[in-house]
Amino acid sequence: GAVVSQHPSWVICKSGTSVKIECRSLDFQATTMFWYRQFPKQSLMLMATSNEGSKATYEQGVEKDKFLINHASLTLSTLTVTSAHPEDSSFYICSATREGSTDTQYFGPGTRLTVL
Amino acid sequence: GESVGLHLPTLSVQEGDNSIINCAYSNSASDYFIWYKQESGKGPQFIIDIRSNMDKRQGQRVTVLLNKTVKHLSLQIAATQPGDSAVYFCAENGFRGTYKYIFGTGTRLKVLA
């Protein structure tokens, strides 16, 4: 149990376009979802915390108008990178916690974004 | 509060030997700790966790040790296999009142045949 999926697994886009990444909890309802980005050979950097039906809480330095997060249901959160630029190229990973085990984050497989 | 490293320390271990990966955690108030394994191009995979009321917990081929006195966490992998090659991260629930984690910088484990 506690499987988290992401779609797409990789995406290449042109500079200036927007890209949407989906995060789904497949076999549980996610009380909270998190979005991270990870640069090569570095640890995970938290971007925002998302709860169903409420606005996401962004970490300091993360532009909320650039990284739009929507958490429409207990099993789906989306991250939209708006007007993407090459510096937004990164590995984006989501995680989710579930009821009864709210301390443990279960991670998705990640989405590799490359902006040309 | 997230930890970002400029490069990953590497631990090279002979296949069949035991591996010990160490982590110094940040917040003395943290009461939940997790080890994750991350293979190249994939998301972190949960390995084992431990709460602060314990100092040792065992799983299948893995053991986590917690030393709260010196804020140290370790992951022991018995009979290391090639499939264990990955980056290992420790995490703590260092942000009280939230479910956010503080991540360690990570250690790359290389298993030598």
Side-chain angles (χ1 to χ4, degrees), chain A residues 6 31-32 34 36 38 40-47 49 51 57 59 91 93-94 97 101-110 112, chain B residues 1-8 31-32 34 36 38 41-46 49 51 89 93 95 98-101 103-106 108:
Chain A
Q6 282 183 241
T31 50
T32 303
F34 301 85
Y36 296 83
Q38 185 179 34
K41 298 185 179 180
Q42 293 192 17
S43 189
L44 284 75
M45 183 178 74
L46 180 66
M47 299 175 67
T49 304
N51 290 288
T57 302
E59 295 299 299
F91 194 51
I93 311 171
C94 71
T97 61
S101 182
T102 49
D103 279 336
T104 307
Q105 294 184 29
Y106 298 96
F107 285 84
R112 171 76 57 196
Chain B
E2 296 81 18
S3 178
V4 177
L6 295 178
H7 66 277
L8 293 172
D31 60 7
Y32 180 65
I34 317 94
Y36 288 96
Q38 187 177 26
K42 297 183 179 180
Q45 174 189 357
F46 174 91
D49 58 1
R51 296 202 176 271
F89 291 99
N93 66 340
F95 296 95
T98 78
Y99 303 122
K100 299 195 297 185
Y101 287 170
F103 276 93
T105 54
R108 181 177 300 281

Side-chain angles (χ1 to χ4, degrees), chain B residues 9-23:
Chain B
T10 299
L11 173 67
S12 296
V13 175
Q14 205 69 34
E15 182 179 356
D17 287 353
N18 297 333
S19 303
I20 299 177
I21 301 171
N22 297 303
C23 175

